[in-house]
Amino acid sequence: MSHVQERTQHIGEPDISEIEQRTVRSGTITGPASMVIFGITGDLSRKKLVPAIYDLEHDQQLSPEFDLIGFARDTSDLDDVLRDSVIAHARTPFDPGVWARLRKRIHFVQGSFEDPTAFAALGSRLAQLDLLRGKPANYVFYLSIPPSAFETVCDGLAQVGLHRQEHGWRRIVVEKPFGRDLATARALGASLERTFEPSSIYRIDHYLGKEAVQNILALRFTNGMFEPLWNNRYVDHVQITMAESVGVAGRGAYYDGVGATRDVIQNHLLQLLALIAMSEPATFDADSVAAEKIKVLSAARLLGPLGRTSARGQYTTGIRDGVVLPGLTDERGFPADSATETFAALTVGVETRRWTGVPFYIRTGKRLARTTTEIAVAFTPPAGGALVSRTAPVQNVLVLRVQPDYRIELQIGAKRPGGDMDIESVSLDSDLGSVFQPARAAYERLICDVLRGDATLFPRREEIESSWRVIDPVLEYWADAAPPASYEAGTDGPDAAARMLTRAGRMWRPL
């Protein structure tokens, strides 16, 4: 079929100017673009990316002029693979009509990352789609591949001129890990910027796409009761926890030698710290939000001595609900002498006028008692007063829970019924997940933002490098220290983590 014949099938669809007007008017539909996924046969693409794109199509969030191109070495079974992935992993119910509508705009290019002819074929396919749809050359290149292949793919795109923004825009999306330390992060950033403009590089941290995480800023800056207390005069300490009950089975090839600190703290948890500690930006655009986060991360430092203010561990065999849970070195892909930590806890200070003297305790671990991610802001108990002196002190704690549920909890002191003035800690609790309609999945929000050119939820290169500056010292310290302490699967982690806080007269919140 000729291009002219193919074009006649699109009579009746809105033209580009109409689509762009709808985008501006409603803000609920993306503009005309083509997205290329490198690594479309991988786990991330099958379980997250393609289902998210289906959900966006189901909810009519994608432009009719959106095309998806899968770049893969073998495309023979991709029709069935992608359909099955959508059925298994999409948020919305599978609708054959929606899938058929989307499938008409899914295309494949077969080849390897080292094959120049495959990139030439990709360029030709993108040009054909632009002509067929009558749309500008707006391209997203999603690198759902190991970082070791980033430079090869960027070089392949550059060789056929697909990085140029002469007609339309270019955006490249990369997944973590963003390096193994500060030096490799800098090298990776420089490699990407040799081909693409810094403003065109979108670094995905899927945690920032969660509604509960975005609600941190809404809670802080739209409620007048919190911001006056958000400083070292009223905040005693902050705890940031990401605990998982699952182990690392099936991730041995990636996780061994990486560990909990690189996998979670350097990105997800330091981003949460930045959102909690940042000052209100002048405006809530991408540049202003990034500037305030960079200020926090640039001022963040590990508090020492590290032998007393940090802890790491590795899970061993345990029992939960009568089921035996294997230890790390019993998992497939891990050597018996693996020194990879599956638990890490750090004490971070933010050396600004607002936060000096307030410790931020950060912990993460696999095979812990339960799965939860939360931020707990513990306020300084009141000093003196007739009533305070008669009762046991109650610490007010504001808890922002990200998963498994999406809720806000405030612990306060209240009088217990009876004649005496007995004060007890009680919780004011709001389950926001039940208050609001079910939210879109994180990847849906982030893919939409990439297509719209909104980089607010994407960490900048300066944020990534500042985060590595925070954790590099502890990684160097642990490289020469004793192996990780053992903790039984299904517990709260190693004893050393509890001692971190008890030395300061504090305790971790129970999992």
Side-chain angles (χ1 to χ4, degrees):
M1 182 183 291
S2 70
H3 293 320
V4 174
Q5 289 174 313
E6 290 182 321
R7 182 64 180 166
T8 61
Q9 296 181 345
H10 294 266
I11 294 175
E13 290 187 358
D15 63 21
I16 296 171
S17 61
E18 182 183 343
I19 292 168
E20 289 175 341
Q21 289 169 6
R22 286 165 57 192
T23 301
V24 172
R25 276 201 309 269
S26 68
T28 60
I29 185 170
T30 60
S34 295
M35 174 181 284
V36 181
I37 298 181
F38 292 91
I40 197 165
T41 58
D43 277 359
L44 176 66
S45 178
R46 289 184 292 105
K47 294 179 180 178
K48 299 292 185 181
L49 303 184
V50 174
I53 290 169
Y54 169 85
D55 287 329
L56 291 172
E57 177 67 20
H58 182 280
D59 292 348
Q60 299 183 358
Q61 294 292 292
L62 292 177
S63 165
E65 311 299 319
F66 171 86
D67 287 284
L68 175 65
I69 298 92
F71 189 106
R73 189 181 299 272
D74 183 2
T75 62
S76 56
D77 298 321
L78 270 178
D79 268 333
D80 293 336
V81 168
L82 297 186
R83 186 178 187 276
D84 291 346
S85 296
V86 167
I87 292 172
H89 301 291
R91 172 182 55 83
T92 56
F94 183 77
D95 182 327
V98 173
W99 174 248
R101 188 171 70 234
L102 178 62
R103 179 62 189 87
K104 291 178 182 178
R105 290 153 32 225
I106 299 178
H107 320 272
F108 304 118
V109 172
Q110 186 168 350
S112 71
F113 301 156
E114 298 79 16
D115 182 3
T117 61
F119 285 90
L122 173 63
S124 297
R125 177 59 62 88
L126 288 168
Q128 290 168 2
L129 291 171
D130 294 340
L131 180 61
L132 172 66
R133 308 274 189 240
K135 63 181 180 178
N138 297 334
Y139 304 151
V140 174
F141 301 110
Y142 201 120
L143 306 192
S144 181
I145 56 179
S148 58
F150 286 179
E151 187 169 6
T152 302
V153 170
C154 287
D155 288 346
L157 293 171
Q159 287 170 8
V160 293
L162 285 174
H163 65 305
R164 299 193 188 102
Q165 303 192 92
E166 297 165 356
H167 307 286
W169 45 254
R170 305 289 185 272
R171 294 168 192 150
I172 185 167
V173 184
V174 295
E175 289 272 351
K176 74 177 183 72
F178 309 119
R180 284 184 52 85
D181 51 26
L182 177 57
T184 55
R186 282 175 170 164
L188 181 60
S191 173
L192 292 170
E193 290 179 11
R194 278 195 293 271
T195 307
F196 290 89
E197 293 292 327
S199 60
S200 299
I201 301 170
Y202 287 67
R203 297 167 179 85
I204 285 269
D205 185 334
H206 72 271
Y207 249 63
L208 299 185
K210 293 179 179 290
E211 286 291 340
V213 171
Q214 297 165 46
N215 211 38
I216 293 171
L217 300 183
L219 178 78
R220 289 191 53 199
F221 300 127
T222 64
N223 295 286
M225 70 180 78
F226 294 122
E227 193 61 15
L229 308 179
W230 220 255
N231 54 63
N232 52 11
R233 183 176 177 185
Y234 297 104
V235 175
D236 178 76
H237 71 279
V238 178
Q239 296 184 24
I240 302 175
T241 296
M242 179 178 168
E244 297 180 273
S245 61
V246 298
V248 295
R251 296 185 69 206
Y254 164 74
Y255 201 88
D256 189 35
V258 173
T261 311
R262 290 185 175 97
D263 188 41
V264 172
I265 293 180
Q266 183 274 330
N267 39 75
H268 303 329
L269 300 194
L270 286 180
Q271 282 290 316
L272 294 183
L273 182 151
L275 293 173
I276 281 291
M278 65 183 272
S279 295
E280 184 173 9
T283 61
F284 278 90
D285 60 24
D287 290 341
S288 299
V289 172
E292 295 301 330
K293 288 164 63 182
I294 290 168
K295 289 177 186 177
V296 171
L297 293 170
S298 298
R301 302 285 185 274
L302 288 177
L303 300 181
L306 294 177
R308 297 170 62 86
T309 60
S310 68
R312 64 173 177 160
Q314 184 185 99
Y315 66 82
T316 59
T317 303
I319 298 177
R320 181 191 294 126
D321 299 328
V323 177
V324 176
L325 304 174
L328 178 75
T329 55
D330 298 321
E331 306 270 21
R332 182 169 55 86
F334 286 87
D337 60 350
S338 174
T340 299
E341 85 276 1
T342 58
F343 179 98
L346 307 176
T347 309
V348 177
V350 179
E351 301 305 317
T352 63
R353 178 176 295 182
R354 180 193 287 256
W355 292 113
T356 294
V358 177
F360 289 75
Y361 298 110
I362 302 176
R363 64 174 168 170
T364 184
K366 300 282 190 183
R367 283 281 190 231
L368 296 179
R370 71 185 181 101
T371 294
T372 185
T373 299
E374 67 174 33
I375 304 162
V377 181
F379 293 93
T380 304
L387 186 56
V388 171
S389 63
R390 292 180 52 188
T391 64
V394 171
Q395 187 165 49
N396 300 134
V397 181
L398 179 65
V399 181
L400 314 175
R401 190 160 299 130
V402 175
Q403 67 174 14
D405 47 359
Y406 167 27
R407 64 195 317 123
I408 296 175
E409 175 186 346
L410 178 62
Q411 295 179 358
I412 65 168
K415 179 186 175 295
R416 184 186 296 117
D420 296 329
M421 187 60 73
D422 293 329
I423 305 299
E424 185 173 318
S425 179
V426 297
S427 292
L428 308 178
D429 195 355
S430 178
D431 181 358
L432 297 183
S434 63
V435 172
F436 299 114
Q437 292 295 320
R440 287 185 300 186
Y443 274 101
E444 294 174 57
R445 168 64 189 269
L446 295 172
I447 288 171
C448 259
D449 283 356
V450 172
L451 291 169
R452 291 174 175 145
D454 183 352
T456 305
L457 301 179
F458 297 82
R460 304 288 177 89
R461 180 178 177 180
E462 295 89 343
E463 296 175 60
I464 301 298
E465 294 180 1
S466 292
S467 297
W468 281 115
R469 287 190 193 97
V470 174
I471 71 165
D472 268 4
V474 77
L475 294 175
E476 294 168 4
Y477 171 77
W478 283 340
D480 297 325
S486 297
Y487 64 96
E488 285 189 14
T491 65
D492 284 1
D495 293 339
R499 291 195 295 270
M500 280 175 53
L501 271 68
T502 56
R503 290 187 184 104
R506 302 182 178 102
M507 296 179 61
W508 289 109
R509 284 174 50 81
L511 294 179

